[in-house]
Amino acid sequence: MMEAKEIWTLVGGWKGLNALEANCLVLIDLAFYLQQLYPEAFAVTQQLRLSAREIEWQISRLKIAEKTGKLDGTITMYGQHAIATYYLMTRRLLDLYAQLHSPMLPQLQKVL
């Protein structure tokens, strides 16, 4: 198991977490774009939305912990969970693009 400081450094601190949270919206937009062409993508788009809300909640817990001086004790729980959830979001999106044989898949694989 990684230490809190290692996790914090790897994620890029608040700057990294804020970027991660903003990128969730981009992932949802990419899934929604595909959903317009393939309605069967609806379930994945909805799952991405739920995951993004979960990440938002995890990050809000970290912000509260920072205000109360307990950030170090919560990074391993909330930060690690937010990172793992984001990773799963990227995998779901890539799987969706692969299943639907989207020509955008190679570009998406490069950036994710």
Side-chain angles (χ1 to χ4, degrees), residues 21 51-62 78 81:
E21 193 170 17
S51 295
R53 295 194 103 213
E54 187 177 336
I55 289 171
E56 186 180 304
W57 185 85
Q58 299 290 340
I59 291 173
S60 74
R61 298 299 99 186
L62 290 169
Y78 297 121
H81 188 76

Side-chain angles (χ1 to χ4, degrees), residues 7-8 10-28 48 51-60 62-63 78-90 112:
I7 295 168
W8 193 248
L10 287 173
V11 77
W14 286 117
K15 184 177 180 180
L17 284 175
N18 290 332
L20 185 140
E21 193 170 17
N23 286 346
C24 287
L25 300 176
V26 174
L27 297 178
I28 292 167
L48 292 178
S51 295
R53 295 194 103 213
E54 187 177 336
I55 289 171
E56 186 180 304
W57 185 85
Q58 299 290 340
I59 291 173
S60 74
L62 290 169
K63 289 176 181 176
Y78 297 121
Q80 199 166 4
H81 188 76
I83 295 163
T85 302
Y86 179 78
Y87 175 78
L88 291 174
M89 286 178 73
T90 63
L112 292 179

